[in-house]
Amino acid sequence: QVQLVESGGGLVQAGGSLRLSCAASGRTFSSYQMAWFRQAPGEEREFVAGISRYGGRTFYADSVKGRFTISRDNAKKTVDLQMNSLKPEDTAVYYCAAKPAQIEDAVHSGPYDYWGQGTQVAVSS
């Protein structure tokens, strides 16, 4: 099992940048594929980006491709989301998620088994 804690959210102007970080507990962090999801008010939770167990593969939603970058550090047990060129429509609560992965380069948009509590990102126009 893994526990996840997100940090780094906040308020930023359109065009700005934020970096989210997710810290994981547990001894087998490298056995999980990791992802970021987001949920805007009144909307369903949606996949944003995913990364395979050792970072060899990444996968992005079309809405963030070219602007967001997901990365992980297995030694530190962290997964980050660098968000550039932010838009008001990126406003949401962002969640870190983990999914056990048998295959080293697997990365999926869902479903995921473990979730953090979320961190708020607000982008003003």
Side-chain angles (χ1 to χ4, degrees), residues 78-122:
T78 58
V79 57
D80 291 350
L81 185 69
Q82 177 65 44
M83 304 186 295
N84 298 329
S85 302
L86 282 161
K87 304 175 181 179
E89 51 264 43
D90 294 318
T91 296
V93 177
Y94 282 71
Y95 297 90
C96 178
K99 175 183 175 68
Q102 298 291 332
I103 301 172
E104 185 173 306
D105 63 351
V107 57
H108 303 100
S109 59
Y112 279 71
D113 301 285
Y114 302 101
W115 297 85
Q117 83 289 349
T119 186
Q120 177 71 53
V121 171

Side-chain angles (χ1 to χ4, degrees), residues 10-52:
L11 174 64
V12 64
Q13 287 189 332
S17 298
L18 277 176
R19 188 176 185 89
L20 306 183
S21 187
C22 173
S25 63
R27 294 184 295 175
T28 58
F29 181 68
S30 61
S31 66
Y32 295 89
Q33 59 179 295
M34 301 295 296
W36 287 92
F37 286 74
R38 68 186 181 187
Q39 187 167 20
E43 301 289 333
E44 297 285 323
R45 188 176 298 187
E46 65 173 357
F47 172 84
V48 174
I51 189 166
S52 59

